[in-house]
């Protein structure tokens, strides 16, 4: 890529969008699996003794933090996919407009009244 020049790849953006489609669902499954698996260890520290009262609050806080992180990742993936999609739509719109403008310019150069030897091209 040359300095000052941006080359877009709409096809690549579309493929990226398609690949990202599954990420929010995967984070949802990850969250569900974490909740299910954490229930397996629920009674490890006991429930009513001093050890349980000292350890369980931290254990619950850690679990809550993990779930919040996975939920935030799912939301971030949704936002990222929307941004990539919007960027691709914008790029395709600009490309389409530019192609239309080039086509109109070419038509005006090749228009009626020109001799058939060069069609007004330089």
């Amino acid at each position: 890529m040359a300095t000052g020049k941006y080359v877009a790849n709409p096809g690549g953006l579309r493929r990226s969008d398609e690949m990202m489609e599954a990420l929010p669902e995967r984070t949802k499954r990850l969250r569900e699996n974490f909740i299910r698996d954490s229930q397996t260890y629920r009674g490890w520290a006991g429930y009513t003794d001093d050890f349980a009262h000292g350890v369980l609050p931290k254990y619950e806080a850690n679990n809550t933090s993990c779930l919040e992180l996975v939920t935030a990742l799912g939301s971030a993936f949704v936002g990222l996919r929307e941004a990539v999609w919007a960027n691709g739509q914008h790029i395709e719109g600009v490309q389409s407009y530019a192609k239309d403008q080039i086509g109109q310019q070419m038509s005006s150069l090749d228009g009626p009244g020109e001799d058939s030897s060069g069609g007004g091209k330089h």
Side-chain angles (χ1 to χ4, degrees):
M1 186 163 91
T3 302
K5 182 178 179 182
Y6 175 75
V7 179
N9 183 349
L13 284 172
R14 272 195 299 297
R15 285 187 300 280
S16 297
D17 177 65
E18 291 166 4
M19 290 178 358
M20 287 187 282
E21 182 177 11
L23 293 176
E25 183 61 32
R26 290 177 76 182
T27 58
K28 181 180 174 186
R29 283 195 314 266
L30 179 66
R31 186 177 196 283
E32 292 167 355
N33 290 343
F34 180 83
I35 290 169
R36 186 187 67 241
D37 291 348
S38 68
Q39 296 306 313
T40 303
Y41 305 104
R42 185 74 188 109
W44 71 272
Y47 295 97
T48 58
D49 60 8
D50 289 340
F51 181 74
H53 290 298
V55 172
L56 287 177
K58 183 71 171 171
Y59 175 75
E60 293 297 334
N62 287 338
N63 285 351
T64 299
S65 292
C66 289
L67 291 172
E68 288 172 352
L69 174 64
V70 171
T71 301
L73 280 173
S75 296
F77 288 144
V78 168
L80 177 62
R81 183 169 183 232
E82 289 172 356
V84 168
W85 181 83
N87 193 26
Q89 292 297 109
H90 179 72
I91 289 168
E92 287 177 348
V94 169
Q95 281 184 336
S96 177
Y97 175 77
K99 287 178 183 177
D100 289 346
Q101 293 299 307
I102 290 169
Q104 287 178 7
Q105 184 63 34
M106 294 300 291
S107 293
S108 70
L109 291 175
D110 292 335
E114 300 293 332
D115 66 17
S116 60
S117 63
K121 295 181 183 175
H122 300 280

